[in-house]
Amino acid sequence: MTPAGVAGMAVRIADAELGAVLVGRRAALDALSAALNTYPVERISIKGVFALDAGNQDHIAGVPVLGGALTREALRRAADVHAVVLCGFANDRPLAREILEQVSALRLRPMIADLSNGRPTIRPMEIADVLGRAPSPVDWANIRGAIAGKRVLVTGAGGSIGAELVRQLAALKPARLTLLDSSEYNLFSIDHELARVAPDVTRAPALCCIRNQDALTRWFARERPEIVFHVAALKQVPLLESHPSECVLTNVMGTRNVARAARAGGAHMVLVSTDKAVSPRSSMGASKRLAEAYCKALDVQAGARGGSHFLVARLGNVLGSTGSVSPLFERQLATGGPLTVTHPDVVRYFITIPQAAAFLLQATARALASDASTPRGVAQVLEMGEPVRVLDLASDMIRLSGQEPGADVPIKFVGLRPGEKLAEQLVDINEWIVGGHHGGAIMAVASAPQDIDEVEREMDALIAMANAGRDEMVKSRLMSLVGVSEESDERVAAS
């Protein structure tokens, strides 16, 4: 690439030209240069390159190499630099975070060069670029084989995860896509979006609450889904600690309603679960653990009869999902802070919304494959990489806004809320890994089998208490059903 070609690389930032430097390894910088030869972008003027492995090179693609590390002294060799563009850091989040800290200290704008779609784009850096699980390849051919031509129903279709799942499903050409949600606005929004972006996909919006077994049964009889993704759930841990009956009626009874409707119609079902179901300390986590137990027992029973799959798919925290911590931090940043973190040592596993939806599809396709060797009654768990300190998430979001943590925006520690733990786990102490697929990115996790009739009886008693509004009894019974006593709860708290 000629110097003039690189100088033509740009992105519209207001209506001004933005002076920028590139940071990356030689291979990534070369790939970006080659792509920009074919697809130039306007309005960024490249002033220099920081090549992490350039050796003694003076220029790369005709652009001066300013050094191997981003420093204030090296930047003095280039004039009018306002932004730093990171190249090729998708699978090296720790190094991306390190460079973000340097960029923030230099009061420069952090940006990302993206070549994932073949054409180069340069965009502002987002929190998903530096935190959470690095992206892994998705076997879209296998997923398309499982979904194309099938009738698919998604509960909670208008929520953040459900809506992204619907978008990805629409691209896979299902025969019919049923969008089921109890929120009129959410349902209207995703239905309206699909009408615009995927008009060729036959779809049906279903305004229905999963607590209503009769209405749910009617919708299933009408739509006759072959695959059901059960995303709908209550998930706000502190709030549900004071509303355990509501938690049970949606997360336990609602899940059973969906599973019964799926079983009656011969459909496969995927329960979207959470790492909070592992060693649960909260009503929300315990409710999802019980929902997992029911679906796994149902899967074993169905497997013995050669019937449908009832798959459990367990996720960590989803960045940007409704009610999650990153939108809260965004709102707090908009008002100047402080950003509120419960505890300096609290850690969580994070995944992006598109990654979460792709995992659900990948796990489903594998479970339904004719050569699948995974036993029945297991949970599919995404390998999430290293957990992330929520304090780091807050600090990096401040840096991404062009400010410095502490100096510009304070961070305030407010203490763990009811039901919260310092750390979550992906696999319980009473579970074991029995297999994996997709290059080890997805683990099959087994536990001691439970009798479906016994689980049904326990759920009946719990749901009766919840319908009567006996919150304290519900909470006590719920925790005991998943093996949590006051003594074990204290041990978890101490850890």
Side-chain angles (χ1 to χ4, degrees):
M1 172 179 264
T2 65
V6 176
M9 181 172 56
V11 67
R12 183 174 295 275
I13 304 291
D15 286 320
E17 188 176 75
L18 191 71
V21 293
L22 305 181
V23 176
R25 294 183 176 88
R26 175 64 190 266
L29 295 170
D30 283 345
L32 179 62
S33 299
L36 287 166
N37 269 326
T38 306
Y39 304 106
V41 189
E42 299 177 354
R43 293 194 182 279
I44 283 186
S45 175
I46 300 302
K47 306 294 186 178
V49 172
F50 286 90
L52 305 183
D53 56 353
N56 295 321
Q57 287 179 280
D58 294 326
H59 290 77
I60 290 180
V63 181
V65 175
L66 304 178
L70 186 65
T71 64
R72 194 178 304 276
E73 292 72 23
L75 278 169
R76 292 196 181 108
R77 297 174 58 191
D80 300 321
V81 174
H82 309 98
V84 174
V85 181
L86 279 70
C87 310
F89 289 90
N91 292 300
D92 196 342
R93 302 298 175 86
L95 185 55
R97 287 196 66 248
E98 181 182 327
I99 294 175
L100 173 61
E101 291 182 18
Q102 298 168 2
V103 172
S104 174
L106 294 168
R107 301 291 178 165
L108 298 174
R109 187 175 303 180
M111 306 189 79
I112 285 283
D114 188 357
L115 290 174
S116 59
N117 294 322
R119 300 178 69 110
T121 59
I122 297 176
R123 58 172 174 78
M125 182 182 280
E126 300 171 354
I127 191 61
D129 296 316
V130 290
L131 287 181
R133 184 182 183 277
S136 59
V138 178
D139 187 354
W140 289 112
N142 188 37
I143 293 171
R144 188 171 291 106
I147 299 298
K150 300 292 197 308
R151 297 184 302 277
V152 182
L153 183 147
V154 180
T155 73
S160 50
I161 299 172
E164 176 60 23
L165 179 60
V166 163
R167 294 182 192 106
Q168 294 188 18
L169 283 165
L172 299 169
K173 306 302 181 185
R176 188 172 179 84
L177 190 52
T178 305
L179 320 174
L180 191 144
D181 206 300
S182 62
S183 166
E184 178 195 24
Y185 178 74
N186 285 354
L187 183 60
F188 168 80
S189 296
I190 188 60
D191 183 53
H192 188 265
E193 178 183 333
L194 281 194
R196 177 173 52 84
V197 302
D200 57 328
V201 174
T202 303
R203 69 189 191 284
L207 186 61
C208 177
C209 179
I210 60 172
R211 293 186 183 188
N212 189 333
Q213 179 72 80
D214 291 340
L216 201 60
T217 299
R218 287 194 296 270
W219 274 109
F220 271 65
R222 171 181 161 177
E223 296 299 312
R224 297 180 295 111
E226 297 168 88
I227 301 174
V228 176
F229 290 93
H230 179 39
V231 186
L234 298 180
K235 61 181 184 179
Q236 296 305 312
V237 170
L239 180 63
L240 295 180
E241 282 304 285
S242 57
H243 295 80
S245 294
E246 298 301 311
C247 180
V248 164
L249 292 175
T250 294
N251 293 356
V252 177
M253 185 181 75
T255 296
R256 186 169 71 170
N257 289 347
V258 173
R260 284 177 169 178
R263 180 175 58 179
H268 303 292
M269 173 182 162
V270 182
L271 169 67
V272 180
S273 191
T274 168
D275 57 5
K276 292 174 179 58
V278 178
S279 300
R281 188 182 168 195
S282 64
S283 296
M284 184 272 190
S287 70
K288 296 296 282 187
R289 180 58 173 243
L290 186 54
E292 281 192 7
Y294 176 70
C295 287
K296 289 192 286 186
L298 204 58
D299 192 44
V300 171
Q301 182 189 64
R305 302 170 181 175
S308 300
H309 287 262
F310 293 86
L311 178 68
V312 172
R314 191 182 291 165
L315 291 170
N317 286 258
V318 181
L319 281 168
S321 62
T322 304
S324 65
V325 67
S326 52
L328 170 64
F329 287 165
E330 287 174 356
R331 292 193 296 271
Q332 292 173 337
L333 267 173
T335 59
L339 271 61
T340 55
V341 176
T342 56
H343 190 284
D345 296 325
V346 70
V347 295
R348 294 290 183 264
Y349 292 99
F350 287 105
I351 185 175
T352 67
I353 294 175
Q355 286 175 337
F359 158 62
L360 297 174
L361 293 171
Q362 193 79 67
T364 302
R366 178 57 185 160
L368 300 185
S370 59
D371 62 343
S373 58
T374 303
R376 292 288 190 129
V378 302
Q380 300 285 339
V381 182
L382 184 64
E383 199 288 312
M384 295 286 295
E386 293 299 315
V388 173
R389 288 203 310 166
V390 176
L391 175 58
D392 290 339
L393 173 65
S395 299
D396 288 342
M397 290 189 70
I398 293 171
R399 294 186 180 104
L400 289 169
S401 73
Q403 303 174 90
E404 274 289 280
D408 300 319
V409 180
I411 295 175
K412 179 181 178 181
F413 297 108
V414 296
L416 290 175
R417 298 172 297 176
E420 289 188 324
K421 298 187 290 185
L422 282 178
E424 302 289 359
Q425 304 159 263
L426 296 174
V427 180
D428 192 82
I429 192 172
N430 296 314
E431 295 178 324
W432 57 95
I433 298 172
V434 294
H437 59 91
H438 200 51
I442 299 176
M443 303 176 287
V445 177
S447 56
Q450 291 185 261
D451 179 72
I452 185 65
D453 294 329
E454 181 181 350
V455 177
E456 287 267 20
R457 286 192 296 271
E458 292 171 343
M459 293 174 77
D460 284 339
L462 183 65
I463 291 167
M465 293 177 193
N467 275 319
R470 298 178 178 177
D471 281 346
E472 290 304 316
M473 291 180 64
V474 166
K475 190 171 182 178
S476 177
R477 180 65 172 258
L478 177 61
M479 301 305 283
S480 67
L481 286 178
V482 297
V484 178
S485 63
E486 291 184 5
E487 180 182 351
S488 64
D489 188 54
E490 289 173 1
R491 286 200 299 268
V492 171
S495 67

